[in-house]
């Protein structure tokens, strides 16, 4: 091997050109792999101190003194500042300054782009040059082919009579295939510094259909963001008519961007959507807004709502989070709509309430502090906005310390809830919970718990709350809470059908004195239902405002089976109230009698093909099914079925809870019927009838909505059509059909 310093700069200029091809042929060339990581041959001397010099190896080196021509032959490899060139022959004419590389050329530049060509010809400046019959394979996966390519001194490439595609041009067996889409152009300019391709005189080819002419445009080929049009959407629905969406992204900085998205309709006035994103060293935020003018329905309490005059309508959705230090963070979100039906009318969201929050947190291994506030906007028909809570603020502090061989968690909490037309509540408490966990010589896991809490409440306008058990006593009230618990688990492990099984009986005893629950308001413990997740909880009420004050014994068992390719987990249990005093649990929760209902959960997983979870609650007297919930997933990633079924038979008073008896089924699935083609669909059906819920308008089979579509998706294109139908009217969000057409191309419109 010889080092030839006079060739400095050759590899840099060559790094964007290369070997055998036909003009606009995007297929791979029959050459050796590019020299991405070729090691130097053993006799190579140390690298030159001057990083601008070229190192190369060759089978032989010739120098013609008469013509002053230097020729490197056989496995010529050149290295310079990350640029690598392989060729069969490199000739440098010192008189004319021409440098030519030929034969099995494969080049990799510092950006990772690989180039092939018939020949590379460089000028005596060694900074620019020209290649004939060129193919460039980009690091990001795209490729360009041209009859001729020219590299400018700044690294820009100009390709004449060229073609570009990011799609695969070979089958899995290595046979050539036509790409799903490509762009041919009179001239293509590639700017590696901007990772962008510019087209002039271009035409778009899709699946071999007649070519569509294109205006002069550019698009990114890298992972960085650039200003430009994004993928458009087309949708048709009954209310708004034909909708065309054409987003445009403005790159304001490497970490900031603005997307303006006009929505143009045939039946109503246009709507503008704007989204601003910013990413900093400590965090990020995003704000999205919608604004339009249309007729809306304000009278949502009647069966046939009446329309008002046109009004400005819109929606703001923002989220932010910043990590101020390893322990401190601040976050927030804002979701506010102009009216209750705007989101459904324009198919933005189906949420029935919007929550705006702000939070300051500190989290370290043993301490937690949070200062939080939130505001709720209801989108439900017949809900009064004046009864929605505004929490400002909630303060929560927790400290965990080691004590007596166990863990002691101390907590302090305050909360102020305000309503513009309802009850106001202020609450503060301090609490401590000590847990001691031990393993006996026989293998039992024993956990002892002691809990104590002191509460203070202040209530105003309690009479504005319609449910008496939620009000509490007007004015200032105090309350003391205490509980002792012992929890014992005894696992038994053994072999089973070629695998293992674990049977774990469990018993828990909880002792608690009578507590003045009804003297204080109930703001956060209104939804109560016995289930497997709270069966062994110290307090089976959700939230803090109600605490289960009855002594009880809870018993059950867990069974886990692990077999090759399959797991089965099951749990079942029941509780018995030891005291005879009346309980505050309402009938229908499964906890109102001394013996509770039976609750359980079963989960079955078979490899990555089947996942089934079944939750249930059985009446303690006649084993009537009070809750029956099944969620199942069957299939592979490409073909699968999702099924969900829920039936609640709680028989609870409507004035106590708004979650009444109901029955519904949810189905979704996808079938891939060809390599790139699939059909998909989903549906939600209300199976509730008036025997289950007297206030329900369903006849026992009432579809809520469904969706059905077909999609083609390969490595560089997604093309689909979807039909959706809604069956329910809510104000000016009417039932009816809508159709969505999607076309997304890799790198184009991104």
């Amino acid at each position: 091997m010889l080092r030839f310093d006079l060739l400095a700069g050759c590899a840099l200029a060559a790094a964007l050109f290369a070997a055998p091809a036909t003009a606009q042929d995007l297929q791979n060339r029959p050459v050796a792999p590019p020299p991405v990581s070729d090691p130097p041959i053993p006799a190579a001397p140390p690298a030159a101190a001057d990083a601008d010099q070229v190192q190369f190896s060759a089978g032989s080196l010739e120098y013609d003194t008469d013509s002053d021509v230097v020729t490197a032959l056989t496995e010529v490899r050149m290295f310079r500042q990350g640029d690598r060139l392989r060729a069969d022959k490199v000739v440098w004419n010192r008189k004319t300054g021409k440098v030519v590389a030929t034969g099995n050329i494969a080049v990799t530049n510092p950006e990772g782009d690989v180039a092939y060509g018939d020949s590379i010809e460089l000028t005596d400046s060694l900074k620019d040059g020209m290649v004939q019959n060129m193919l460039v394979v980009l690091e990001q996966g795209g490729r360009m082919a041209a009859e001729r390519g020219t590299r400018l001194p700044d690294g820009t490439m100009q390709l004449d009579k060229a073609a570009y595609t990011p799609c695969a041009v070979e089958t899995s067996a290595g046979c050539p295939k036509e790409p799903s889409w490509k762009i041919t152009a009179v001239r293509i300019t590639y700017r590696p510094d901007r990772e962008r391709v510019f087209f002039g005189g271009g035409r778009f080819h899709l699946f071999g259909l007649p070519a569509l002419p294109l205006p002069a445009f550019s698009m990114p080929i890298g992972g960085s963001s650039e200003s430009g049009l994004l993928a458009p959407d087309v949708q048709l629905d009954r209310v708004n008519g034909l909708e065309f969406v054409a987003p445009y992204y403005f790159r304001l900085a490497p970490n900031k961007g603005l997307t303006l998205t006009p929505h143009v309709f045939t039946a109503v006035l246009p709507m503008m959507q704007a989204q601003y994103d910013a990413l900093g060293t400590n965090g990020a935020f995003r704000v999205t807004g919608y604004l339009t003018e249309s007729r809306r329905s304000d009278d949502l309490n009647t069966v046939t709502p009446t329309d008002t005059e046109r009004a400005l309508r819109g929606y703001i959705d923002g989220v932010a989070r910043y990590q101020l230090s390893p322990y401190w963070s601040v976050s927030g979100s804002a979701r506010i709509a102009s009216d209750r039906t705007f989101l459904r009318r324009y198919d933005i969201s189906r949420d029935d309430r919007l929550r705006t929050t702000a939070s300051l947190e500190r989290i370290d291994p043993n301490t937690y502090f949070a200062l939080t506030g939130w505001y709720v906007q209801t989108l439900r028909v017949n809900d009064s906005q004046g009864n929605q809570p505004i929490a400002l603020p909630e303060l929560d502090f927790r400290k965990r310390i080691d004590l007596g061989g166990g863990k002691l968690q101390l907590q302090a909490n305050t909360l102020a809830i305000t309503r513009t037309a309802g009850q106001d509540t202020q609450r503060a408490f301090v609490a401590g919970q000590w847990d001691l966990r031990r393993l006996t010589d026989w293998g039992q896991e024993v956990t002892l718990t002691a809990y104590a809490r002191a509460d203070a409440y202040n209530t105003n306008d309690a009479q504005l709350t319609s449910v008496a058990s939620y009000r509490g006593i007007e004015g200032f009230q105090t309350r003391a809470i205490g509980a002792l618990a012992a929890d014992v688990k005894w696992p038994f492990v053994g072999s089973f059908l070629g695998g293992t099984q674990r049977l774990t009986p469990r018993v828990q005893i909880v002792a608690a004195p009578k507590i003045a629950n009804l003297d204080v308001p109930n703001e956060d413990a209104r939804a109560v239902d016995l289930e497997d997740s709270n069966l062994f909880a110290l307090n089976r009420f959700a939230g803090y405002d109600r605490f289960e004050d009855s002594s009880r014994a809870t018993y059950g068992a867990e069974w886990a089976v692990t077999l090759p390719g399959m797991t089965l987990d099951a749990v079942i249990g029941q509780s018995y109230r030891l005291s005879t005093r009346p309980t505050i649990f309402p009938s229908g929760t499964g906890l109102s009698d001394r013996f509770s209902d039976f609750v359980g959960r079963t989960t079955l997983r078979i490899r990555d093909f089947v996942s089934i979870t079944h939750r249930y609650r059985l009446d303690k007297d006649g084993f009537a099914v009070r809750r029956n919930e099944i969620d199942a997933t069957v299939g592979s990633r490409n073909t699968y079925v999702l099924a969900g079924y829920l039936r609640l038979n709680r028989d609870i008073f409507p004035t106590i809870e708004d979650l009444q008896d109901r029955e519904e089924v949810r189905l979704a699935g996808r079938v891939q019927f060809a390599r790139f083609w699939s059909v998909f669909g989903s549906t939600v059906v209300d199976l509730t009838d008036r025997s289950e819920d007297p206030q329900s308008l369903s006849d026992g089979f009432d579809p809520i909505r469904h969706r059905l579509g077909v999609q083609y998706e390969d490595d560089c294109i997604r093309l689909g059509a979807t039909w959706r139908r809604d069956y329910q009217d809510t104000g000016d969000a009417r039932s009816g059909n809508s159709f969505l057409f999607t076309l997304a191309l890799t790198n184009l419109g991104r």
Side-chain angles (χ1 to χ4, degrees), residues 688-721:
T688 310
D689 57 28
R690 294 190 178 181
S691 65
E692 295 171 313
D693 182 2
Q695 297 181 351
S696 175
L697 300 178
S698 175
D699 59 1
F701 188 87
D702 190 5
I704 305 299
R705 59 184 173 272
H706 71 241
R707 183 182 63 156
L708 183 64
V710 60
Q711 179 172 283
Y712 174 92
E713 183 173 8
D714 61 21
D715 60 314
C716 67
I717 186 173
R718 185 176 72 252
L719 176 67

Side-chain angles (χ1 to χ4, degrees), residues 98 287 400 545 591 641 672 684 714:
K98 181 185 295 185
V287 178
R400 185 175 59 190
D545 292 336
L591 292 165
V641 174
Q672 184 171 346
V684 178
D714 61 21

